[in-house]
Amino acid sequence: MTQKTLTTWIMATRPQFFTVIILPIVLGTAIAWHSQKVFLPFYFCLSLLAGILIHAGINVLNDYFDHLNKSDEFNETPLTPFAGGSRMIQKGIFSAAEIYRYGILLLIMAVSIGLFLIWARGLALLWIGLIGVLSGYFYSAPPFSFQSRGLGEILVGLNFGILAVLGAYYVQTQTLTLVAVIAALPLAILVAAILYINEFPDYAADKEAGKNTLIVRLGKVRARSIYTLLIGLCFIVIVLGVIYNSLPLFSLLSLLALPLGWFAIKTLYACYDKSTALIPAIKNTIMLHTLVSVLLILAFVIK
């Protein structure tokens, strides 16, 4: 094994994706400020830390289970910074056992913070956290391996969209609201789109490993239309949310992000079978999630 540095341990968690958990937590906190003028910095920081640790743990464990089912070993397509996992096991930087222990440790740290928040803020967080941790672990772990059943996008949207926003809102207010769920939907859809487009470069390896993601089930050509549907649905939800007074009027500013989605769709249709050529579309999808999230946060803060 090669010598491990702090940077190595951090990179094993795939931090380039952490915005997808940070932004929904900030959004839930912004909604709490918008509706009840509440902001508790200490609990916000704990929520953020717990969310990042859960995400990091799930990413690390996903690498472990993808090593077990050999989907990462089968992956011979040119690797991108976004697809194919961290490759820490494949490069010999960590053993499989070290990766598993590291992932479990990260989850234990997250659960420890979560238990404190449950004690301090309320029992509803128990159910939000329990669903998040268990579905995150079994996202790739047998016997359920939800990603191999074509359910990965739904679970990712639930955990990194609805549950993250609702949980952050509850930590601040000790109440639940439908507004938080509606505001979370665009983020849930876009984080599902990030996972979805990242599965295109992994298609051959996933298929060989029996990892039957939606892309594997549909085939690359047919699967492109689902991505288009996800991008369109995100903006439809925002417009309807404003029309029915569930979202602030300023939420319409998020429509400024539409060109990012259009470019990503065009790139996917043209380059769906070329992993490196898909990198701009993957980057645009991440940027789209970030921009829409930030604009929704601002819409709740500035009104």
Side-chain angles (χ1 to χ4, degrees), residues 28-298:
T29 306
I31 297 169
W33 172 255
H34 173 82
S35 63
Q36 299 195 28
K37 294 297 181 285
V38 174
F39 176 59
L40 305 173
F42 176 66
Y43 291 122
F44 167 71
C45 291
L46 285 183
S47 301
L48 209 55
L49 182 56
I52 291 171
L53 287 169
I54 288 176
H55 191 187
I58 290 170
N59 283 349
V60 170
L61 289 170
N62 179 247
D63 279 351
Y64 171 76
F65 290 111
D66 278 356
H67 166 70
L68 288 190
N69 65 34
K70 299 190 182 300
S71 60
D72 282 345
E73 274 71 13
F74 291 149
N75 199 336
E76 296 178 353
T77 58
L79 295 176
T80 75
F82 309 105
S86 71
R87 312 298 293 179
M88 292 293 177
I89 298 174
Q90 289 71 30
K91 292 175 182 177
I93 298 172
F94 289 93
S95 70
E98 284 176 323
I99 282 289
Y100 184 77
R101 289 195 296 267
Y102 183 32
I104 293 297
L105 176 62
L106 290 167
L107 288 188
I108 289 172
M109 293 167 66
V111 168
S112 299
I113 297 171
L115 289 173
F116 172 76
L117 288 172
I118 291 165
W119 172 78
R121 304 305 291 161
L123 195 59
L125 292 173
L126 171 63
W127 306 112
I128 292 173
L130 196 61
I131 294 169
V133 171
L134 289 179
S135 63
Y137 181 84
F138 288 110
Y139 169 81
S140 51
F144 301 114
S145 188
F146 292 118
Q147 62 174 347
S148 297
R149 301 173 186 271
L151 298 173
E153 285 76 10
I154 293 174
L155 284 183
V156 164
L158 174 68
N159 288 332
F160 295 95
I162 295 169
L163 293 184
V165 174
L166 201 56
Y169 178 86
Y170 185 88
V171 164
Q172 295 293 317
T173 66
Q174 296 180 294
T175 59
L176 299 173
T177 176
L178 184 60
V179 170
V181 176
I182 294 169
L185 286 176
L187 275 64
I189 294 165
L190 289 177
V191 75
I194 292 172
L195 173 64
Y196 191 76
I197 197 168
N198 267 286
E199 289 171 351
F200 277 84
D202 296 338
Y203 170 84
D206 288 346
K207 186 174 183 179
E208 188 173 355
K211 186 176 167 183
N212 295 318
T213 63
L214 274 179
I215 310 299
V216 172
R217 291 168 182 267
L218 295 171
K220 287 185 179 182
V221 174
R222 283 202 302 163
R224 295 177 301 179
S225 61
I226 302 297
Y227 178 81
T228 305
L229 179 64
L230 288 171
I231 301 303
L233 189 58
C234 163
F235 292 103
I236 290 170
V237 168
I238 292 169
V239 172
L240 290 177
V242 171
I243 290 172
Y244 288 99
N245 296 316
S246 296
L247 299 178
L249 179 63
F250 285 113
S251 300
L252 293 177
L253 286 173
S254 60
L255 296 179
L256 294 172
L258 261 171
L260 288 172
W262 175 246
F263 177 79
I265 291 168
K266 284 182 64 178
T267 305
L268 175 61
Y269 268 78
C271 307
Y272 65 93
D273 209 24
K274 304 170 186 173
S275 60
T276 52
L278 263 184
I279 292 176
I282 295 171
K283 284 183 177 179
N284 268 44
T285 311
I286 296 171
M287 288 170 58
L288 181 61
H289 176 277
T290 300
L291 185 55
V292 168
S293 300
V294 168
L295 291 172
L296 284 176
I297 289 164
L298 287 175

